[in-house]
C-alpha cells in the first residue's frame, strides 16, 4: 500500500481512467481497502474488469463476486476461472435491503449442476436467484432444491406442484409448504403447532396460522406465547377479549391492537407504548398495505402501534402521509421518513437536523430529501451537520463550496472536498490535507494529470505497458 493518505480515494473517483485504476490495483498487498473500492465502482473500464477477473489473489476475485455494483455478467465470468471461485459466485452480493441483480440464466445452470454440493446449495439459496429459475426445482429430486422453491417461489407454482410439496416425502419440505398455507388452513396450523412444540418458530405459527376454536382454546389453556397468540386475527374475538385484562402488559398491548376492535374498545384496555419501544409492524396492517380505507383508519387511530404500522405501508393515502408527518410519536415520523416514498421533504430535513436517531444520516439518500434553497438556509448555520447541507443545493456557488472546504468542522471540509464545483486549484491543495485528502481524490473534477501526479508522489509504479483510456 502506498504511503500517501489520498491515494485510496482515486479508486472511487468516477473520472479515473483505466491506467490510474490499474496502477492502484497493482498496489494490492493483502489490504482489501483499495480492491474493495475498485470492485464497488458502478462501472469499470474493460481492461480493469479483466485485471480483476484474472487477479492472482483470490481475495480480490472474491470481492468482485461479492460486489453489488459489478454487472451480473462480469460476476458470472468468474466461473471460467479457478474452480474455488464458484462458491463466491453462487453466494453473490448480499447488500442489506437492496435487490440483487440476478446472474445470467446460463450461470445458474452451471452453478446448479456444479460437482460440489455446497456450491449447488448456496446457488439455490442465494439472494439474487430469480423465481423462474426456482420454479422448475420444485420437482427436483434433491429435497434441498424443492425446499428452496417452496420457500421462495410458492406463489409462482401450479396447484398440482403445491399439493405435491404439501405431501412431500421429506419432512423439512412438507413443513416449509405447510408454513406457506397455514394462514388459510386450520389443519396445517394444528400440525405445525405439534411440529414446533419446543421450537422458537412456534410463536410465528401462533401469530399467523389459521386457528380453529378447539385449538385456540387449548393454546390459551396452556398459557404460552399468549402475546403472539393475541396478535392472530383468527383468534375468536371472545377468546381474545378474555385476555384484555391479562397481567402481562405485552399480552394486553397485543389485544389492544387487534383489527376487530373499535377505538373505544382499544381505549378501554390498559396498554402502553413508550417512545423507545421497538414494535414489529402489525401483520394484519401490512396485509392491508394497499387498502386505503383500512390504512386511513389505522393512521387516524389513537393507538400508537396502528399508526406506526400504517406509516410503513406504501399504499398509505397522501392525506394520511401529511397527518403522520406531524405525529406526536417520534417513531411514527421516523418510520414514515425511512419507508414511505412520499415522506414530506421538510420531515426528512427536520429528522436529519434533529440527529437523535442513529440512522438519521441515511435520510439524505431518500428521494424526497430537499436540495433547492439549502445553501441560503444553512451555509452559515452554527451546526456543522446543517452547514454540510448547503453543498446539496444545486445553486451553491464555487465560492461557497471553497469557503466550506475551509470550514472548522472536518465533516464539512470532507463533504466539500469531493464537490465537483470546488475550484481545481483547491482540490489539488486538499490532496495534501491528511483529514480530507482521500475525499479530494474522489472528486470527479480532479484532472487526470493530477491523479497521475498523485500516484507518482506516492511512489506507485507507472505501468508503462498498461492501457490508458
Amino acid at each position: 500500500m502506498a504511503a500517501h493518505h489520498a491515494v485510496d480515494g482515486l479508486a472511487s473517483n468516477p473520472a479515473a481512467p483505466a491506467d490510474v485504476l490499474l496502477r492502484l490495483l497493482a498496489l494490492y498487498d493483502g489490504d482489501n481497502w483499495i480492491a474493495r473500492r475498485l470492485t464497488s465502482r458502478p462501472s469499470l473500464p474493460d481492461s480493469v474488469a479483466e485485471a480483476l477477473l484474472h487477479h492472482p489473489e483470490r481475495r480480490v476475485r472474491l470481492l468482485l463476486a461479492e460486489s453489488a455494483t459489478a454487472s451480473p455478467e462480469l460476476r458470472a465470468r468468474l466461473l471460467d476461472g479457478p474452480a474455488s471461485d464458484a462458491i463466491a459466485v453462487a453466494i453473490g452480493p448480499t447488500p442489506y435491503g437492496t435487490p440483487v441483480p440476478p446472474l445470467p440464466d446460463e450461470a445458474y445452470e452451471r452453478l446448479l449442476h456444479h460437482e460440489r454440493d455446497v456450491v449447488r446449495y448456496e446457488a439455490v439459496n442465494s439472494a439474487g436467484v430469480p423465481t423462474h429459475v426456482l420454479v422448475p426445482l420444485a420437482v427436483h429430486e434433491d429435497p434441498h432444491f424443492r425446499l428452496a422453491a417452496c420457500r421462495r417461489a410458492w406463489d409462482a407454482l401450479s396447484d398440482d406442484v403445491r399439493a405435491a410439496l404439501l405431501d412431500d416425502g421429506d419432512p423439512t419440505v412438507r413443513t416449509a409448504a405447510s408454513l406457506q398455507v397455514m394462514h388459510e388452513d386450520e389443519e396445517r396450523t394444528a400440525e405445525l403447532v405439534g411440529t414446533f412444540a419446543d421450537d422458537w418458530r412456534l410463536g410465528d405459527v401462533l401469530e399467523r396460522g389459521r386457528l380453529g376454536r378447539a385449538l385456540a382454546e387449548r393454546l390459551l389453556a396452556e398459557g404460552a406465547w399468549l402475546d403472539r397468540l393475541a396478535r392472530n386475527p383468527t383468534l375468536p374475538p371472545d377468546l381474545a377479549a378474555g385476555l384484555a385484562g391479562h397481567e402481562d402488559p405485552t399480552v394486553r398491548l397485543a389485544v389492544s391492537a387487534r383489527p376487530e376492535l373499535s377505538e373505544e374498545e382499544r381505549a378501554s384496555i390498559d396498554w402502553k407504548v413508550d417512545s423507545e419501544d421497538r414494535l414489529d409492524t402489525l401483520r394484519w396492517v401490512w396485509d392491508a398495505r394497499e387498502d386505503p380505507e383500512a390504512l386511513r383508519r389505522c393512521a387516524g387511530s389513537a393507538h400508537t402501534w396502528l399508526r406506526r404500522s400504517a406509516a410503513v405501508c406504501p399504499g398509505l393515502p397522501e392525506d394520511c402521509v401529511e397527518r403522520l408527518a406531524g405525529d406526536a410519536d417520534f417513531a411514527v415520523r421516523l418510520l414514515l421518513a425511512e419507508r414511505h416514498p412520499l415522506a414530506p421533504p421538510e420531515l426528512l430535513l427536520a429528522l436529519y437536523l434533529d440527529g437523535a436517531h442513529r440512522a438519521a444520516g441515511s435520510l439524505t439518500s431518500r428521494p424526497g430529501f430537499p436540495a433547492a434553497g439549502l445553501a441560503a438556509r444553512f451555509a452559515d448555520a452554527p451546526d456543522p451537520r446543517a452547514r454540510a447541507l448547503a453543498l446539496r443545493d444545486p445553486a451553491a456557488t464555487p465560492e461557497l463550496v471553497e469557503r466550506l472546504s475551509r470550514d472548522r468542522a472536518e465533516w464539512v471540509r470532507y463533504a466539500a472536498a469531493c464537490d465537483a464545483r470546488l475550484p481545481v486549484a483547491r482540490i489539488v491543495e486538499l490532496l495534501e490535507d491528511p483529514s480530507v485528502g482521500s475525499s479530494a481524490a474522489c472528486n470527479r473534477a480532479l484532472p487526470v494529470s493530477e491523479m497521475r501526479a498523485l500516484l507518482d508522489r506516492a511512489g506507485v509504479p507507472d505501468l508503462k505497458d498498461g492501457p490508458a483510456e
Side-chain angles (χ1 to χ4, degrees):
M1 172 76 182
H4 200 287
H5 54 265
V7 162
D8 63 342
L10 291 176
S12 299
N13 191 314
D19 66 293
V20 168
L21 300 179
L22 288 170
R23 289 176 71 180
L24 290 169
L25 183 59
L27 287 173
Y28 183 82
D29 60 359
D31 185 341
N32 292 332
W33 185 238
I34 285 182
R36 189 177 297 279
R37 284 200 175 201
L38 287 171
T39 55
S40 297
R41 291 172 62 90
S43 63
L44 287 166
D46 290 345
S47 57
V48 181
E50 292 295 325
L52 290 168
L53 279 170
H54 303 293
H55 199 280
E57 291 288 344
R58 182 169 184 261
R59 184 56 193 153
V60 173
R61 302 193 304 274
L62 298 192
L63 286 171
L64 183 62
E66 297 165 1
S67 171
T69 57
S71 73
E73 292 75 18
L74 182 60
R75 290 188 282 116
R77 288 185 58 200
L78 287 166
L79 294 176
D80 297 327
S84 60
D85 291 352
I87 189 168
V89 178
I91 297 171
T94 55
Y96 176 75
T98 304
V100 178
L103 297 167
D105 286 356
E106 180 186 1
Y108 286 113
E109 183 73 14
R110 295 175 65 179
L111 290 167
L112 295 175
H113 288 87
H114 199 276
E115 61 182 8
R116 297 178 61 200
D117 291 349
V118 66
V119 172
R120 298 196 302 273
Y121 297 155
E122 288 291 355
V124 79
N125 289 296
S126 65
V129 62
T131 300
H132 72 267
V133 170
L134 291 171
V135 167
L137 304 182
V139 295
H140 197 280
E141 62 181 11
D142 189 328
H144 288 88
F145 284 26
R146 300 197 302 276
L147 179 62
C150 183
R151 286 174 171 170
R152 301 177 57 195
W154 183 264
D155 291 343
L157 302 179
S158 69
D159 291 342
D160 289 346
V161 171
R162 292 184 189 180
L165 291 171
L166 285 165
D167 195 34
D168 198 275
D170 186 280
T172 305
V173 176
R174 282 200 312 276
T175 296
S178 294
L179 286 168
Q180 295 287 353
V181 301
M182 67 177 179
H183 64 286
E184 57 188 10
D185 190 322
E186 294 179 6
E187 292 184 6
R188 295 288 175 178
T189 299
E191 291 175 8
L192 289 169
V193 167
T195 300
F196 294 152
D198 299 314
D199 193 297
W200 62 269
R201 290 173 290 180
L202 178 59
D204 198 44
V205 174
L206 298 185
E207 181 177 343
R208 296 178 51 227
R210 187 169 186 84
L211 299 170
R213 188 172 186 89
L215 176 61
E217 289 177 342
R218 175 168 69 83
L219 292 168
L220 284 173
E222 291 174 357
W225 298 90
L226 292 182
D227 60 325
R228 303 293 294 275
L229 189 63
R231 296 188 205 179
N232 192 318
T234 67
L235 179 68
D238 62 309
L239 298 183
L243 296 172
H246 197 276
E247 62 182 3
D248 186 340
T250 64
V251 175
R252 297 197 304 272
L253 176 62
V255 174
S256 72
R258 290 182 57 81
E260 73 271 10
L261 298 186
S262 67
E263 284 296 292
E264 292 73 17
E265 289 169 326
R266 296 189 203 286
S268 69
I269 300 172
D270 179 20
W271 62 270
K272 181 181 180 182
V273 174
D274 289 328
S275 60
E276 297 300 318
D277 288 346
R278 298 180 65 87
L279 299 171
D280 294 335
T281 300
L282 287 164
R283 191 172 295 275
W284 68 265
V285 179
W286 181 249
D287 288 344
R289 59 190 175 275
E290 298 295 344
D291 182 340
E293 291 311 310
L295 294 177
R296 186 169 276 113
R297 289 193 296 273
C298 293
S301 174
H303 202 295
T304 312
W305 201 353
L306 270 65
R307 301 198 310 280
R308 289 188 186 182
S309 298
V312 306
C313 293
L316 186 67
E318 191 169 350
D319 61 304
C320 296
V321 173
E322 294 295 332
R323 178 175 188 162
L324 294 185
D327 199 276
D329 182 69
F330 176 80
V332 169
R333 303 194 305 276
L334 183 63
L335 288 167
L336 186 74
E338 290 181 329
R339 301 282 294 277
H340 202 282
L342 298 179
E346 285 301 316
L347 172 65
L348 298 172
L349 179 60
L351 289 172
Y352 168 83
L353 292 173
D354 178 84
H357 190 270
R358 58 182 174 80
S362 66
L363 295 176
T364 58
S365 64
R366 298 292 295 156
F369 198 92
L374 294 182
R377 292 175 65 180
F378 298 115
D380 298 306
D383 183 352
R385 289 171 53 84
R387 292 198 300 279
L389 289 177
L391 296 164
R392 294 180 57 84
D393 191 337
T397 64
E399 292 76 18
L400 174 58
V401 177
E402 179 165 6
R403 173 160 72 85
L404 292 174
S405 78
R406 304 177 191 278
D407 195 272
R408 61 185 179 276
E410 180 180 320
W411 185 5
V412 179
R413 297 198 306 276
Y414 195 90
C418 62
D419 193 304
R421 293 165 294 189
L422 188 63
V424 170
R426 179 60 177 155
I427 300 173
V428 174
E429 182 181 354
L430 288 175
L431 291 174
E432 303 307 318
D433 183 337
S435 63
V436 302
S438 178
S439 180
C442 293
N443 197 316
R444 66 171 64 242
L446 182 67
V448 172
S449 60
E450 294 293 347
M451 298 182 196
R452 293 172 179 146
L454 174 60
L455 292 174
D456 292 342
R457 293 198 300 277
V460 181
D462 187 356
L463 305 178
K464 299 297 184 183
D465 298 326
E469 299 178 8

